Amino acid sequence: MKALVFHGPERSSWQEVPDPELVAATDAIVRIDTTTICGTDLHILRGEVPDIEPGRVLGHEGVGEVVETGADVRGIRPGDRVLISCISACGHCRFCRERGYGQCRDGGGWILGRTVDGTQAEYVRVPFADLSTHPLTGSVEGHDAVLLADVFPTAYEVGVLNGRVGPGDTVVVVGAGPVGLASVATAQFFSPGRIIAVDPDTARLDAAKRVGADAVADSAEDPERLVDDLTEGLGADVVIEAVGSPRSFETCTRMVRPGGRIANVGVHAQPATLHLEELWIKNVTITTGLVDTYSTPTLLSLLCAGRLPTSTLITHLFQLDQMEEAYDVFARAADTGAIKIALGEVARPLVAARPLVARET
């Protein structure tokens, strides 16, 4: 088969690799119909996730058809169409019993595209298949369902639920990338008073409005003042950090009200300063987290009911063998207008994107 293989910082290729085989009785082999590229994959390619070894097939999100199962797999069978979770769960360790699947201690957690070969491939071995896949109906499009592998559960669990969004709250989402936009969308489940999206990109702020933001602010134009004005100087009840940079994290700490909550969702590659000399007196709660995906069944129900604006986030579709082109488009989002990319469908843009900037060769 062919797959996207990591060869070290700034080096990867779409190439032939051995077909996956069942290793454990709890495994399944899935033929990939739809996969996508995550911001974490870009961190890996930049060398910012040092535990990823060269030779690893990347990707941790996918939709496909089961082609083979191990002897102990009971919940799915060959021919079933499934969503592959970004988190694998053994189901037996202490954390799995507490629905903390991201911290699985018996071979699970975030392993796809990290410690085992991932989903940016024609086929993938899915460990712990019963708990790490979700059956899909034929009415769910692959490019919609794939956003429930990581993007929407991460936004909902690590952002909205950790931030304890409640009725009447002022919620600020810093970063209007895929997870930030999904945070805006799912925060609405709890009837906040207003949602404010902050980002430097006009197209992404427009997308934030489409998924439910009540106000938007350019991150270069003093968004703290806007929050101050809208809350009469109090600050936001909940601030969701969905960028993963020291600057954005510090911006969040200046926007939150006394007694408020900061939910960090972004993946940080550099240290961020925690100004406890200012925060200690404000009773601020700061949460971090890796997604557990316990909310995926709920989100799937909402998707089937038409309550999740997944299509708004997908800007480009590519075929699997266009993986390298897709990475280029996603990595240059400021030039291409890319928000989220899906691979495995007919290649076409879903929304008007900015012209591609030619690369020097």
Side-chain angles (χ1 to χ4, degrees):
M1 71 169 187
K2 287 194 172 182
L4 194 284
V5 180
F6 173 66
H7 294 295
E10 306 298 341
R11 294 186 297 122
S12 64
S13 62
W14 178 253
Q15 65 182 68
E16 289 191 0
V17 299
D19 292 340
E21 298 179 350
L22 297 175
V23 174
T26 53
D27 290 348
I29 305 296
V30 177
R31 178 179 60 80
I32 293 295
D33 292 332
T34 308
T35 187
T36 185
I37 302 169
C38 179
T40 303
D41 296 319
L42 297 183
H43 284 291
I44 293 170
L45 285 178
R46 293 173 188 139
E48 297 169 352
V49 187
D51 60 345
I52 311 295
E53 298 179 351
R56 178 67 60 221
V57 174
L58 298 185
H60 50 267
E61 303 156 277
V63 170
E65 180 183 329
V66 178
V67 296
E68 189 177 1
T69 58
D72 291 345
V73 176
R74 298 288 183 268
I76 58 174
R77 59 186 179 181
D80 286 351
R81 185 165 175 260
V82 296
L83 168 67
I84 302 167
S85 176
C86 69
I87 297 297
S88 302
C90 78
H92 304 294
C93 72
R94 170 181 174 176
F95 288 108
C96 285
R97 289 178 178 273
E98 297 173 353
R99 298 199 308 170
Y101 307 126
Q103 304 301 323
C104 176
R105 305 296 290 177
D106 195 16
W110 172 34
I111 58 174
L112 287 173
R114 183 181 175 218
T115 60
V116 303
D117 287 340
T119 59
Q120 291 171 5
E122 293 176 329
Y123 293 85
V124 63
R125 178 178 71 91
V126 181
F128 308 114
D130 275 331
L131 285 175
S132 306
T133 62
H134 301 271
L136 294 175
T137 64
S139 63
V140 178
E141 295 287 346
H143 60 260
D144 290 320
V146 76
L147 296 188
L148 273 62
D150 183 355
V151 171
F152 272 88
T154 295
Y156 184 53
E157 295 173 20
V158 186
V160 174
L161 295 182
N162 278 4
R164 305 201 311 275
V165 174
D169 281 350
T170 293
V171 179
V172 179
V173 179
V174 179
V179 172
L181 293 173
S183 298
V184 171
T186 55
Q188 296 170 79
F189 298 158
F190 298 94
S191 302
R194 63 173 67 89
I195 302 174
I196 305 165
V198 178
D199 198 275
D201 189 289
T202 301
R204 293 193 170 198
L205 292 178
D206 289 341
K209 293 177 184 176
R210 291 196 297 272
V211 299
D214 301 290
V216 298
D218 188 324
S219 56
E221 296 181 359
D222 197 6
E224 298 163 45
R225 181 175 180 180
L226 173 63
V227 173
D228 215 39
D229 289 345
L230 291 175
T231 62
E232 299 181 344
L234 182 64
D237 300 283
V238 182
V239 185
I240 297 173
E241 201 283 345
V243 178
S245 75
R247 179 178 179 182
S248 62
F249 179 78
E250 291 181 31
T251 297
C252 292
T253 65
R254 293 192 295 269
M255 289 180 172
V256 69
R257 68 164 172 81
R261 287 88 65 195
I262 299 171
N264 184 89
V265 184
V267 177
H268 290 262
Q270 300 176 354
T273 301
L274 181 63
H275 288 285
L276 285 177
E277 77 280 7
E278 300 172 2
L279 293 173
W280 74 270
I281 202 171
K282 293 180 67 176
N283 295 11
V284 171
T285 298
I286 300 173
T287 59
T288 66
L290 173 67
V291 65
D292 293 310
T293 67
Y294 62 81
S295 67
T296 303
T298 297
L299 294 170
L300 272 172
S301 295
L302 291 166
L303 176 64
C304 292
R307 298 290 302 279
L308 291 182
T310 49
S311 294
T312 301
L313 276 61
I314 299 288
T315 54
H316 296 75
L317 297 175
F318 291 90
Q319 295 175 347
L320 276 178
D321 61 6
Q322 295 176 297
M323 185 71 69
E324 291 172 313
E325 179 184 350
Y327 259 95
D328 178 60
V329 169
F330 188 61
R332 297 186 300 113
D335 300 322
T336 64
I339 295 177
K340 193 68 174 174
I341 285 172
L343 297 103
E345 307 280 352
V346 176
R348 62 183 174 87
L350 289 182
V351 298
R354 277 165 269 177
L356 299 182
V357 176
R359 291 181 297 169
E360 295 183 0
T361 58

